[in-house]
Amino acid sequence: MSENLDKSNTNEAATSKSNDSEQGLEDAVEGSDEALQKKVKMGSPSTQRVQRPHSSPPRFVTVEELLEAAKGVTNMVLAHEIVVNGDFQIKPVELPEDSLEKKVKEIVHKAFWDCLSVQLSEDPPTYDHAIKLVGEIKETLLSFLLPGHTRLRNQITEVLDLDLIKQEAENGALDISKLAEFIIGMMGTLCAPARDEEVKKLKDIKEIVPLFRAIFSVLDLMKVDMANFAVSSIRPHLMQQSVEYERKKFQELLEKQPNSLDFVTQWLEEAADDLMNQKYKNALPAGGGATGSGDGPMPSPVAVQNYAYLKLLKWDHLQRPFPETVLMDQPRFQELQLQLEQLTVLGAVLLVTYSMAASGISSQASFAEKLKMMVKILLTDMHLPSFHLKDALTAIGEKVCLEVSSCLSLCGFTPFTTDKETALKGQIQAIASPDDPIRRIMDSRILTFLETYLASGHQKPLPTVPGGLGPVHKELEEVAIKFVRLVNYNKMVFSPYYDAVLSKILVRS
């Protein structure tokens, strides 16, 4: 089946449509209006002329409509990320070094803190800036409180009473150090355990200006902690509504950009054509009870969808635009694709090794695990452009032969001959070619396992792992679970659109 998945339709959509769909969504994920406005300015027509999928007539939109659509996509992407990514966290903004924005920010902040230092150095001191800072700190501390924190709310309101502080400053009775001490104590009460050390260090700062700077720095971290707490709190509730929410937002985007299903249509058409031409007949089990008449079997919509999702694991991300409905998950599909490529090579190396070695060597659990970990480590950087698989497999062949010879000697098996070592190294090096028979077999069996699991409706237990994949069954099952969860969630959101597209495709066919 891997051959059929690789042999997809070479017709590409116009470059301008790709920019509208992929880059627009990427800008929306960043949540940057500036980036979107820049994209509008830079969106000149491409000189490349290639075939475009059939779509609705082009419609001109205003910048305001485009920004409104981008805002909706931003919210949809954020909700999707929170639901799908269990490790999702908000992180502090870190501006690039030597960037103009960072330089301007540093200049403005330095000017402010210098002004505060000058005011506090006057005789008598002027507290205008300091009181404004206390007011900001007060609002931040109050924002951390939950509805039940009545006592803490009263303490903050009473001690950080700005009117009273102004009167004390006018009468020369203000003790700014005591206010700072109260603020630090309250921060220690409200902060997450991970911030205890940062809050503790504040007590060692004696000068007022550096102290206030450090306080605001720690408060910024506490804001991030509070935001992540809010995310974890709403995730269970968002999960219940995310399907309808994402579908609604995508519908709004579709109404503003009617051609937002062009690449989805092309993707599903290719999958349907492959199935109806029976290109995968000998590689995949029948999925979904295909029925039909005429020259070839008519696949069911479920079978087409499942096969289409498998095609995403063989996608050429550099040359082909990703379908719109799975665009938010493109990085996840890319990651799964890389993991499966690594798993295919790993499984092929182990299969060749155990086939050449003594029959009992694979039953040595400690040796099998050690060998697998060694090969995995040497394939760790397989996703990097600088990685050379042929060179890595040459090194793997040398190390595998050493490990096998050592294990055979310890277990009392017949030692490895020079001819067998040479043959094993040669077979391992041959795996570098995608057309290597062993590698193709592993690839086909892995995809068969994924299709079977997908067609089973995510029912446990997992399907039986095909022969030859036993040594990597744990890694394969982990990838399968991630893949099926991703696919099932996508189906829940976009199945009405898929059904509508496939009804036209299958009827026409």
Side-chain angles (χ1 to χ4, degrees), residues 447-471:
L447 292 172
T448 298
F449 176 80
L450 293 176
E451 196 279 338
T452 304
Y453 188 32
L454 190 58
S456 68
H458 199 31
Q459 298 295 321
K460 291 190 176 183
L462 287 164
T464 303
V465 175
L469 294 174

Short mmCIF file of all heavy atoms in Angstrom, two decimals, residues 447-471:
data_model
loop_
_atom_site.label_atom_id
_atom_site.label_comp_id
_atom_site.label_asym_id
_atom_site.label_seq_id
_atom_site.Cartn_x
_atom_site.Cartn_y
_atom_site.Cartn_z
N LEU A 447 1.22 0.07 7.84
CA LEU A 447 0.02 0.75 7.36
C LEU A 447 -1.21 -0.15 7.45
O LEU A 447 -2.32 0.32 7.71
CB LEU A 447 0.24 1.22 5.92
CG LEU A 447 1.28 2.35 5.77
CD1 LEU A 447 1.56 2.61 4.30
CD2 LEU A 447 0.81 3.62 6.46
N THR A 448 -1.00 -1.45 7.23
CA THR A 448 -2.10 -2.40 7.38
C THR A 448 -2.61 -2.40 8.82
O THR A 448 -3.82 -2.42 9.08
CB THR A 448 -1.65 -3.82 6.99
OG1 THR A 448 -1.26 -3.82 5.62
CG2 THR A 448 -2.77 -4.82 7.20
N PHE A 449 -1.68 -2.40 9.76
CA PHE A 449 -2.05 -2.37 11.18
C PHE A 449 -2.83 -1.10 11.52
O PHE A 449 -3.86 -1.15 12.21
CB PHE A 449 -0.78 -2.46 12.04
CG PHE A 449 -1.04 -2.36 13.52
CD1 PHE A 449 -1.48 -3.46 14.25
CD2 PHE A 449 -0.83 -1.17 14.20
CE1 PHE A 449 -1.71 -3.37 15.61
CE2 PHE A 449 -1.06 -1.06 15.56
CZ PHE A 449 -1.51 -2.16 16.27
N LEU A 450 -2.35 0.04 11.02
CA LEU A 450 -3.04 1.32 11.30
C LEU A 450 -4.43 1.33 10.68
O LEU A 450 -5.38 1.80 11.30
CB LEU A 450 -2.20 2.47 10.76
CG LEU A 450 -0.85 2.74 11.43
CD1 LEU A 450 -0.11 3.86 10.72
CD2 LEU A 450 -1.05 3.10 12.91
N GLU A 451 -4.57 0.80 9.45
CA GLU A 451 -5.88 0.79 8.80
C GLU A 451 -6.86 -0.11 9.55
O GLU A 451 -8.02 0.23 9.71
CB GLU A 451 -5.71 0.32 7.35
CG GLU A 451 -6.92 0.62 6.46
CD GLU A 451 -8.04 -0.39 6.63
OE1 GLU A 451 -7.76 -1.53 7.10
OE2 GLU A 451 -9.20 -0.07 6.30
N THR A 452 -6.33 -1.26 10.01
CA THR A 452 -7.19 -2.19 10.74
C THR A 452 -7.68 -1.57 12.04
O THR A 452 -8.86 -1.68 12.41
CB THR A 452 -6.43 -3.49 11.04
OG1 THR A 452 -5.95 -4.05 9.82
CG2 THR A 452 -7.33 -4.51 11.73
N TYR A 453 -6.78 -0.90 12.73
CA TYR A 453 -7.15 -0.25 14.00
C TYR A 453 -8.13 0.88 13.75
O TYR A 453 -9.09 1.07 14.50
CB TYR A 453 -5.89 0.25 14.69
CG TYR A 453 -6.10 0.78 16.09
CD1 TYR A 453 -7.08 0.25 16.93
CD2 TYR A 453 -5.32 1.82 16.59
CE1 TYR A 453 -7.27 0.73 18.21
CE2 TYR A 453 -5.50 2.31 17.87
CZ TYR A 453 -6.48 1.77 18.67
OH TYR A 453 -6.67 2.25 19.95
N LEU A 454 -7.92 1.62 12.67
CA LEU A 454 -8.82 2.73 12.35
C LEU A 454 -10.20 2.22 11.96
O LEU A 454 -11.22 2.78 12.37
CB LEU A 454 -8.22 3.54 11.20
CG LEU A 454 -8.87 4.87 10.85
CD1 LEU A 454 -8.88 5.80 12.05
CD2 LEU A 454 -8.13 5.52 9.68
N ALA A 455 -10.25 1.14 11.20
CA ALA A 455 -11.53 0.58 10.78
C ALA A 455 -12.29 -0.09 11.91
O ALA A 455 -13.51 -0.23 11.85
CB ALA A 455 -11.31 -0.43 9.66
N SER A 456 -11.57 -0.46 12.97
CA SER A 456 -12.22 -1.13 14.10
C SER A 456 -13.01 -0.16 14.98
O SER A 456 -13.67 -0.59 15.91
CB SER A 456 -11.17 -1.85 14.95
OG SER A 456 -10.33 -0.92 15.62
N GLY A 457 -12.89 1.12 14.69
CA GLY A 457 -13.63 2.10 15.49
C GLY A 457 -13.01 2.34 16.84
O GLY A 457 -13.70 2.66 17.81
N HIS A 458 -11.68 2.20 16.94
CA HIS A 458 -10.97 2.47 18.19
C HIS A 458 -11.42 1.54 19.32
O HIS A 458 -11.50 1.94 20.47
CB HIS A 458 -11.15 3.93 18.58
CG HIS A 458 -10.13 4.43 19.57
ND1 HIS A 458 -8.84 3.95 19.61
CD2 HIS A 458 -10.22 5.35 20.56
CE1 HIS A 458 -8.18 4.56 20.57
NE2 HIS A 458 -8.99 5.42 21.16
N GLN A 459 -11.76 0.32 18.93
CA GLN A 459 -12.19 -0.65 19.94
C GLN A 459 -10.98 -1.37 20.52
O GLN A 459 -10.06 -1.72 19.82
CB GLN A 459 -13.14 -1.69 19.32
CG GLN A 459 -14.41 -1.09 18.77
CD GLN A 459 -15.28 -0.49 19.86
OE1 GLN A 459 -15.38 -1.04 20.94
NE2 GLN A 459 -15.89 0.64 19.56
N LYS A 460 -11.00 -1.59 21.82
CA LYS A 460 -9.92 -2.34 22.45
C LYS A 460 -10.33 -3.80 22.56
O LYS A 460 -11.51 -4.12 22.64
CB LYS A 460 -9.62 -1.76 23.83
CG LYS A 460 -8.98 -0.39 23.75
CD LYS A 460 -8.47 0.06 25.11
CE LYS A 460 -7.74 1.40 25.00
NZ LYS A 460 -7.19 1.83 26.29
N PRO A 461 -9.36 -4.73 22.56
CA PRO A 461 -7.92 -4.49 22.50
C PRO A 461 -7.46 -4.12 21.11
O PRO A 461 -8.20 -4.24 20.13
CB PRO A 461 -7.33 -5.83 22.93
CG PRO A 461 -8.36 -6.82 22.48
CD PRO A 461 -9.69 -6.15 22.66
N LEU A 462 -6.20 -3.70 21.01
CA LEU A 462 -5.62 -3.35 19.73
C LEU A 462 -5.56 -4.58 18.83
O LEU A 462 -5.47 -5.71 19.31
CB LEU A 462 -4.21 -2.79 19.93
CG LEU A 462 -4.11 -1.39 20.52
CD1 LEU A 462 -2.70 -1.13 21.03
CD2 LEU A 462 -4.49 -0.34 19.50
N PRO A 463 -5.60 -4.39 17.51
CA PRO A 463 -5.48 -5.53 16.60
C PRO A 463 -4.15 -6.25 16.80
O PRO A 463 -3.19 -5.68 17.32
CB PRO A 463 -5.56 -4.88 15.20
CG PRO A 463 -6.15 -3.53 15.43
CD PRO A 463 -5.76 -3.11 16.80
N THR A 464 -4.10 -7.48 16.35
CA THR A 464 -2.87 -8.25 16.44
C THR A 464 -1.80 -7.62 15.55
O THR A 464 -2.06 -7.25 14.41
CB THR A 464 -3.11 -9.71 15.98
OG1 THR A 464 -4.14 -10.27 16.78
CG2 THR A 464 -1.84 -10.53 16.12
N VAL A 465 -0.61 -7.47 16.10
CA VAL A 465 0.48 -6.88 15.35
C VAL A 465 0.92 -7.85 14.26
O VAL A 465 1.14 -9.03 14.53
CB VAL A 465 1.67 -6.55 16.28
CG1 VAL A 465 2.86 -6.04 15.47
CG2 VAL A 465 1.26 -5.51 17.32
N PRO A 466 1.04 -7.39 13.01
CA PRO A 466 1.45 -8.28 11.92
C PRO A 466 2.83 -8.90 12.18
O PRO A 466 3.64 -8.37 12.94
CB PRO A 466 1.49 -7.35 10.70
CG PRO A 466 0.58 -6.22 11.05
CD PRO A 466 0.71 -6.04 12.53
N GLY A 467 3.09 -10.01 11.52
CA GLY A 467 4.36 -10.70 11.68
C GLY A 467 5.54 -9.82 11.32
O GLY A 467 5.48 -9.04 10.37
N GLY A 468 6.62 -9.97 12.09
CA GLY A 468 7.83 -9.19 11.85
C GLY A 468 7.88 -7.89 12.61
O GLY A 468 8.95 -7.26 12.72
N LEU A 469 6.73 -7.44 13.15
CA LEU A 469 6.68 -6.17 13.89
C LEU A 469 6.70 -6.38 15.41
O LEU A 469 6.58 -5.41 16.15
CB LEU A 469 5.43 -5.38 13.51
CG LEU A 469 5.37 -4.89 12.05
CD1 LEU A 469 4.02 -4.25 11.76
CD2 LEU A 469 6.49 -3.88 11.80
N GLY A 470 6.85 -7.62 15.84
CA GLY A 470 6.85 -7.91 17.27
C GLY A 470 7.87 -7.09 18.06
O GLY A 470 7.53 -6.53 19.11
N PRO A 471 9.12 -6.97 17.59
CA PRO A 471 10.12 -6.21 18.36
C PRO A 471 9.78 -4.74 18.55
O PRO A 471 10.29 -4.10 19.47
CB PRO A 471 11.40 -6.38 17.52
CG PRO A 471 11.20 -7.63 16.75
CD PRO A 471 9.74 -7.67 16.44
#
